[in-house]
Amino acid sequence: RKEVEQDPGPFNVPEGATVAFNCTYSNSASQSFFWYRQDCRKEPKLLMSVYSSGNEDGRFTAQLNRASQYISLLIRDSKLSDSATYLCVVTYGNKLVFGAGTILRVKS
Amino acid sequence: GAVVSQHPSWVICKSGTSVKIECRSLDFQATTMFWYRQFPKQSLMLMATSNEGSKATYEQGVEKDKFLINHASLTLSTLTVTSAHPEDSSFYICSARGLVGQETQYFGPGTRLLVL
């Protein structure tokens, strides 16, 4: 079983749509949780941290459920520029463990 | 935010050649640097963790004699792929972290290696 699992997609959505991604992790000792964004042939960039209380940054909302070992990302009012691969990331000690990513394609 | 550079961004080489990739933190001192590898449509996989002035810690399955890591200063780490073969073709990304206890890793732009 992979340490971090994501639906690879692709999710094809029209501009303005709301889209949600989910992620599960296997190690209950994971300490911190993040969503990263990776554009084609580029390095990953931190999108947002994820907290149990849920957190929101503009059109992006992230949620963590420690009991279910589940992380989510909600994107509202999708823009063309949101097209990318979204990586779910957890930490074990000082290491980041990446999921394989979910591809989002926003179309006009 | 903090800036990490990598050089070169692209390498094409013949099988059997050794390739050196540099990772630099430009505006902060990186006590720890991480080297990742990403194959197409796969996740980033941590190869090794290096702390300045000490030997790197390699992940299971990564050959330390093939992937030589040197972290000689607080702003520079190098990864040398020795005797590269086509199966080593991949996207190599470094990241750097500043103070101990800080979680944030700043990623370099990556180096694409193609071994013919």
Side-chain angles (χ1 to χ4, degrees), chain A residues 65-100:
Chain A
N65 184 321
R66 283 189 183 268
S68 303
Q69 294 180 201
Y70 169 96
I71 304 161
S72 65
L73 176 68
L74 182 77
I75 304 176
R76 291 180 298 277
D77 190 22
S78 300
K79 311 289 184 193
L80 293 175
S81 57
D82 293 333
S83 298
T85 298
Y86 289 83
L87 307 174
C88 177
V89 182
V90 306
T91 63
Y92 303 138
N94 69 346
K95 300 179 186 178
L96 295 180
V97 180
F98 287 79

Side-chain angles (χ1 to χ4, degrees), chain A residues 32 38 41 43 94-95 99, chain B residues 38 43 59 103 108 112:
Chain A
S32 302
Q38 187 175 26
R41 298 177 179 270
E43 77 276 22
N94 69 346
K95 300 179 186 178
Chain B
Q38 186 178 32
S43 58
E59 295 300 300
E103 287 186 323
R112 215 158 274 285

Side-chain angles (χ1 to χ4, degrees), chain A residues 3 31-34 36 38 40-46 87 91 93-101 103, chain B residues 10 32 34 36 38 41-46 49 51 59 91 93 95 97 103-105 107-110 112:
Chain A
E3 291 182 273
Q31 298 148 321
S32 302
F33 309 87
F34 307 94
Y36 276 73
Q38 187 175 26
C40 189
R41 298 177 179 270
K42 301 280 188 181
E43 77 276 22
K45 296 191 175 176
L46 179 64
L87 307 174
T91 63
N94 69 346
K95 300 179 186 178
L96 295 180
V97 180
F98 287 79
I103 297 171
Chain B
W10 270 96
T32 306
F34 302 85
Y36 296 85
Q38 186 178 32
K41 299 187 179 180
Q42 295 187 26
S43 58
L44 273 76
M45 296 299 295
L46 180 63
T49 302
N51 292 297
E59 295 300 300
F91 189 41
I93 308 175
S95 70
R97 190 176 65 195
E103 287 186 323
T104 303
Q105 292 184 23
F107 285 85
R112 215 158 274 285

Side-chain angles (χ1 to χ4, degrees), chain B residues 68-81:
Chain B
L68 302 178
I69 291 172
N70 185 287
H71 191 165
S73 79
L74 284 171
T75 59
L76 174 64
S77 176
T78 60
L79 167 68
T80 301
V81 183

